[in-house]
Every structure is written in C-alpha cells, then in structure tokens.
Amino acid sequence: MKRLLLSLAAICLLFPATFAQITSVGIIGPATPGGWDADTDMIQDTANADLWSLTITLLDGEAKFRADDDWTVNWGETTFPFGTGTQGGPNIPVIGGDYTITFNSATGEYFFDFDGPVGIIGDATAFGWDRDINMFPDTAMIADTNKFFITIDLGLGEAKFRLDDDWAVNWGSTDFPEGVGEKDGPNIPISKAGNYTITFDTASGAYAFVENVTFSTVGIIGDATAGGWDTATAMIQDGADPNLWTLSTELSAGGLQFSANDGEIIWGADGFPTDTAMVDGDTLAVPAGRWLIEFSTETGIYTFTQIQIFGSIGIIGDATPGGWDTDTDLMRSESDSSQWSIRMDLLDGEAKFRADDDWAVNWGAGDFPAGVAVRDGANIPITAGEYIINFNSISGEYDFKLLIVYDSVGLIGTATPFGNWDEDYWMTQDPNDEDQWFIPSVALSGGDQNECKFRAEGDWTVNWGDATFPTGTGTQDGPNILVEEGTYGITLNSATGEYAFGAELTTSIKDLLKPSDVTAYPNPASSILNIDLSNTTIRGQVKLNLYDMSGALLQTESRTVNGVIQISIDDIPTGIYSLQIKGEKALVGKRVLIAR
C-alpha cells in the first residue's frame, strides 16, 4: 500500500501562521479507539514537519484532526475518504476498516487510504493514473463478497477498476454511466464531472456511476404558475428530508414542470394528481385552484392536494364535551389557514374532525395519539386526559399531545456548571404558567464537547433536545444542544418543547414571554416578516435576531414595540430559520420559513 504525501499548495491561504507551532496532531472521535476522550497521535514526517501519517483500524462513525490534544486548533469536513479540513469544520464521516491516514497540517488536506483489494484509477479521479482510490466492500451484501462501492468527486476524463493496485488484473469498458467491465478492457469515459456513488462487481464486471446531484433550488415552472415559463416559483425544502420539496400556491389551468438549479434539470409527467416525474418528461396539465404540491427529487414522485378554506374545524364525538351532537371548534392559525389547534379535556371514547359543523366533510383514522386522518375515515380512539390537539385540514395530519405537569425540569450536560450528564441544573417554574420554565442567569461552557439537554424529574424518561442554537423546538430524545460559551437566560416550554438561550433575565418572572403570545407571519414569508406582540405586555426596545439552522446569526435589528413589527428579509435566501426575540423581560424563539 503506497503512502500519499499531500501537496503543500496554499499553505498560507487556509490557516494562519500561528498554526506553525503545532507539536502534535491526532485523530479523535467515535470512529477512533479513544472516542471523543483521547487523541490517537499521528507520526510526523521527518522531511516535512507539516505532514503526518497513521496506520489504524477505524469503526463506523465520525472523526476530526486536532493539534496538541486540544480543541483550539482542529480540522474537519464532510467529505470522505479524502478532502480538505477547515478550522472548526464539521465532523468527518468514517466507514469502518483498516486505513493508512495522511494529513497536511498546513493545508488541511487529508486522505483515508483504505486497505482494500479493489480500486478505481484514472485521470478523472483526484489522483490521476498515479494511484488507486480503494473501494469499500458492500456490507449490505453479506453473502456476496464481490461487490464494492465508493462515493467520490470525478472530473472529465477516464477511469478503470483494478485489483491490488496493479495492472495485472483490471476492468474497463466504453459504456458510461453503467456497463459491464471486461478484463483489460478500454478506459471508461467519464463524460460528466460530478459527485458519484460508484458500484462494481468483480464477479460479473457490472458497474454503475450514479450521480449525487445537489439541488440548491427546486420549483415549478409553466403557464399554470405565477411566473409562467420565464420564472420558477420556488418550493420549500423539508427540514427532515432534504429530498422532499413542498409548496402551497394558486395555479391557473395550464401546464407545468418541476425545475431545479435555475433550469439545469427539468422533470415532467402526464399523471394528475400524482405520478412519477421523469427528467425531461412531459408537461403536466393541472386544473385551476389552490394546491399543496409535494415533490421528491429522490424518487420523482409528486402529489397535488387541493387546499380548501373552511370557515371552521371542530372536533366531535363521545370523548368531547359536546358528544356526537355539538362540535368543539378549534382555533385557526394566523399564519397557516390549514393549521388548527385547541387545548381541552377529553374523556375515554371516540372523536372525529369535521368542517363547518357538518358531516359533508369529516376526517378520521384508527390511530392515537397521532396519525393521518382521511375523509370519512374511522373514528379516532381517545384515552382520557388534557391535550393540545393539532390538525391540518390539507394533509389530515393530527396529534394529541398529552399535557403533563412536571414537578421539576432541569438543564443537564457538559455545558452546564456541573459539567456532566449526572446532575441537573434546576429551572424555575413560572407560577402563572405551569408549562413555562426558566433560568434567569447561568454561565455555560462552549465548544465541540460541551452540550446540554432539558429533562424532567431528574430522569431520562422525558427529555428534550434539538440540533439548533440559540433557539429551537426540543423533541423527545432529540439531539444534544451544542451551545456557545457565554452567560444566558434560558426559557423552556415543557408542553411544546420550544426553548431559547438569550440575555440574562434580570427582572420579575411574571413578565416572561410565552411562545404562544407571539405570532410571526406570513409563514412562509417572502420579503416582509410581521412579528405581532400585541398579545404581550412587552414595552420598549426588543432585539430581533434571525439565525440559520446551524446557529449562524444572519440578521439583527433593534425595534420599539408598537403592536406589529415588520422586518425586511429580502436578503435572506429560501430556507428554515429561527427568530429570537429578546427584551429586558422577554426571551422567545419562533421558527419561520422563507420562500420565494
């Protein structure tokens, strides 16, 4: 196995000169023997002090490089098995196996050279015809040891597969992106640069290059849309599934297609309201109306669901106060006409949702406490209790969140003053709201290893976490919250999971702001975002901070409270964001969507 000596290009461009005093470089993370607790030191090259290497067995997991056994200088990136790490960059995803790792502490370049029998080589790869990039065995095919894969960037050029880093056994063909390689066959032409997942079967010679396309924008275009055939109407990327894009919009009778990356890729089909779109497919004919459109860039499957605006949505049944005779009306969201909610006591029994106090339009399903109701569906079985009920009249999605009054809620983790996952830093319950908890002031530690979560009753049975900071919505068993070092006032709503880390709360707890008191609309917004504080007692100045989902501050404004505040978001790209509202006596976070 050859060792790669990484180039020293751009030494002074990527890292400051102070990094030159590095005395050791190690690899750390759950993929390594020491986990996140201890570095595995690399060996410094005798001829060049910036080059480091290590032969090691790694596990499936993540890793980073760092200097001098300390997080002050560390490198990471999302690419594997090679890439260029940046200071404080993300964790490197690792596939378990035996490796020779090389790292350049001047440029951040790294290479995890896998000790495997099959590799890909050629001028379309990062290392040209000089060396193989070894592929990984496909562990999903346990009974078949002939299958291999790798995901890498390729340029225009040619490539071949070969065995044991040697030309004695090699495979090639003239077909791309898939084909059957022949022993000593011709070079495979790579006719399009991109990121590819490559698979190869040494028994049959079958191979495939599947391009991994990143979509910065996805939208609809056509004479049925507001922008016609000239301008795409942007769809919104789902926060949980990056392949899913949605849009609620008014359409005219006409045709449309799906468009990505400013027209770089076009999908079409002829089935309505659902079908599978194909690249360069037909123009889809749609009727006029207001529609919820869902489209998967992974499968091509799309669905159009007509949006009906109802005067009222109620819940009815023997589990409700009105029995099967009288609806209990839900409240419509100010920012989303299809979203309805209510807090109420229910009995053991059954219930359904219906529109406009009439059985003509009703929804039900056999699932509880959450599910997707369908028109004229089954009664929903109810267990007695006090609930916050949410229902979407477009998708039919519903959930009954049981309200539990906790005796105690605490903040726990390595970021807290206790510095461990065993002791809770207790929060104070708002005497006017049993679901609202706060810490007026606490100093927290920051950094990659300093995290925290909220939990109830000093036990992990009920806990809240989320990947966003300084505001977010914690979910049961959600991820740890990675905080930045500082002194914070902290609030948590134990009913909704909404939390915020902000300025110290220096005054009376009676004025703490509840998330339900604040409305941010329209949601999604395009150019102007309205923040309605009229249901609060806030007066004077507030600071409005807009963060992206990584916690980066994108925009901040100070405003005087006077009913509804308007802020411009023209410079903020389409996406999901956290809006933090901070005042002397107030701290709250709201999640907003921006779409154009």
Side-chain angles (χ1 to χ4, degrees):
M1 184 66 63
K2 298 193 271 306
R3 188 177 70 150
L4 176 66
L5 296 181
L6 299 169
S7 82
L8 299 179
I11 288 177
C12 298
L13 296 179
L14 293 176
F15 296 99
T18 54
F19 286 17
Q21 302 305 313
I22 291 170
T23 59
S24 70
V25 168
I27 185 170
I28 191 169
T32 73
W36 287 116
D37 299 318
D39 297 70
T40 301
D41 287 339
M42 304 183 74
I43 300 171
Q44 192 172 33
D45 189 80
T46 56
N48 189 323
D50 295 323
L51 298 180
W52 307 77
S53 63
L54 177 66
T55 299
I56 189 174
T57 299
L58 298 176
L59 305 173
D60 288 340
E62 297 178 319
K64 296 190 81 171
F65 299 97
R66 69 174 187 172
D68 302 324
D69 300 316
D70 190 88
W71 288 107
T72 302
V73 178
N74 69 87
W75 299 264
E77 187 47 83
T78 58
T79 57
F80 181 83
F82 53 87
T84 301
T86 57
Q87 164 64 14
N91 298 341
I92 302 167
V94 174
I95 297 172
D98 297 328
Y99 290 90
T100 296
I101 306 173
T102 50
F103 177 67
N104 188 314
S105 57
T107 66
E109 294 173 281
Y110 60 84
F111 182 59
F112 290 72
D113 192 357
F114 178 66
D115 186 9
V118 175
I120 183 170
I121 191 170
D123 57 13
T125 74
F127 306 128
W129 292 106
D130 298 325
R131 61 164 298 109
D132 298 72
I133 300 173
N134 286 329
M135 303 175 72
F136 303 103
D138 189 347
T139 55
M141 307 296 292
I142 297 175
D144 189 345
T145 59
N146 300 306
K147 289 182 168 56
F148 296 82
F149 77 96
I150 196 167
T151 299
I152 56 174
D153 289 327
L154 295 176
L156 296 175
E158 298 178 318
K160 297 190 80 172
F161 301 99
R162 66 177 190 170
L163 189 67
D164 297 328
D165 300 337
D166 193 275
W167 288 109
V169 179
N170 68 87
W171 298 264
S173 172
T174 58
D175 298 322
F176 179 82
E178 58 184 34
V180 177
E182 300 176 356
K183 296 284 184 70
D184 299 317
N187 297 341
I188 301 169
I190 310 300
S191 57
K192 183 181 180 183
N195 180 267
Y196 289 88
T197 295
I198 307 164
T199 57
F200 178 60
D201 188 326
T202 57
S204 66
Y207 63 83
F209 293 73
V210 178
E211 187 177 9
N212 301 307
V213 180
T214 300
F215 301 110
S216 57
T217 62
V218 171
I220 55 172
I221 193 167
D223 55 20
T225 72
W229 289 106
D230 298 321
T231 305
T233 302
M235 303 183 75
I236 299 169
Q237 190 174 31
D238 187 81
D241 180 359
N243 298 309
L244 179 63
W245 300 75
T246 62
L247 175 66
S248 296
T249 188
E250 192 82 28
L251 296 177
S252 304
L256 64 77
Q257 293 177 312
F258 296 96
S259 168
N261 300 345
D262 298 322
E264 178 183 341
I265 299 175
I266 296 292
W267 295 269
D270 56 10
F272 185 86
T274 184
D275 202 346
T276 300
M278 307 296 290
V279 174
D280 297 326
D282 295 335
T283 298
L284 174 65
V286 298
R290 185 166 182 82
W291 301 93
L292 170 66
I293 308 170
E294 298 174 287
F295 175 61
S296 171
T297 54
E298 180 179 33
T299 64
I301 296 173
Y302 61 84
T303 302
F304 287 72
T305 304
Q306 190 165 18
I307 299 173
Q308 292 179 264
I309 306 300
F310 299 106
S312 67
I313 295 289
I315 184 169
I316 191 170
D318 56 17
T320 74
W324 289 107
D325 299 318
T326 306
D327 296 72
T328 301
D329 285 342
L330 282 69
M331 293 176 290
R332 189 200 305 267
S333 167
E334 294 184 19
S335 58
D336 185 345
S337 61
S338 63
Q339 195 66 41
W340 305 77
S341 62
I342 192 172
R343 175 174 176 170
M344 64 183 298
D345 290 307
L346 295 174
L347 305 172
D348 288 330
E350 297 179 321
K352 297 189 80 171
F353 299 99
R354 68 175 188 172
D356 300 327
D357 301 317
D358 193 281
W359 287 108
V361 178
N362 70 87
W363 300 262
D367 300 317
F368 182 83
V372 178
V374 296
R375 296 283 183 94
D376 301 316
N379 296 343
I380 302 169
I382 305 293
T383 301
E386 184 180 10
Y387 294 91
I388 291 179
I389 306 169
N390 296 295
F391 176 65
N392 189 294
S393 57
I394 296 176
S395 67
E397 295 175 284
Y398 64 86
D399 62 75
F400 292 73
K401 294 181 180 178
L402 182 64
L403 289 176
I404 301 174
V405 179
Y406 300 105
D407 292 327
S408 63
V409 170
L411 186 72
I412 192 169
T414 51
T416 73
F418 297 131
N420 60 57
W421 291 100
D422 300 315
E423 299 175 86
D424 295 79
Y425 193 92
W426 299 113
M427 306 184 76
T428 300
Q429 189 176 39
D430 184 344
N432 300 312
D433 185 343
E434 60 198 15
D435 298 324
Q436 195 72 18
W437 300 80
F438 69 96
I439 298 174
S441 178
V442 62
L444 299 179
S445 302
D448 287 347
Q449 299 307 300
N450 290 303
E451 302 171 318
C452 64
K453 295 186 81 171
F454 301 96
R455 69 176 185 173
E457 319 294 10
D459 190 87
W460 289 108
T461 303
V462 178
N463 69 86
W464 300 266
D466 190 44
T468 61
F469 179 85
T471 63
T473 300
T475 58
Q476 172 66 25
D477 297 323
N480 297 341
I481 303 166
L482 183 63
V483 305
E484 297 178 7
E485 184 174 354
T487 300
Y488 298 93
I490 305 172
T491 61
L492 170 75
N493 187 302
S494 58
T496 66
E498 293 175 288
Y499 63 82
F501 293 71
E504 296 176 85
L505 303 171
T506 58
T507 57
S508 171
I509 58 175
K510 68 182 176 63
D511 290 326
L512 280 175
L513 188 61
K514 294 186 278 292
S516 58
D517 292 335
V518 179
T519 302
Y521 66 93
N523 198 0
S526 58
S527 60
I528 296 294
L529 182 65
N530 302 284
I531 300 100
D532 187 353
L533 301 173
S534 59
N535 291 328
T536 73
T537 58
I538 301 174
R539 297 294 180 268
Q541 289 282 315
V542 293
K543 181 169 284 188
L544 306 170
N545 296 326
L546 193 65
Y547 298 87
D548 65 17
M549 288 297 97
S550 71
L553 179 62
L554 303 182
Q555 181 173 307
T556 183
E557 296 187 32
S558 293
R559 294 293 187 86
T560 299
V561 175
N562 183 17
V564 177
I565 301 172
Q566 288 190 334
I567 61 172
S568 172
I569 51 172
D570 283 331
D571 296 330
I572 306 298
T574 293
I576 304 174
Y577 300 90
S578 286
L579 174 69
Q580 184 192 71
I581 303 163
K582 296 194 332 184
E584 182 184 7
K585 304 178 182 180
L587 173 64
V588 72
K590 302 293 288 185
R591 183 162 293 189
V592 297
L593 301 178
I594 296 176
R596 297 182 179 85

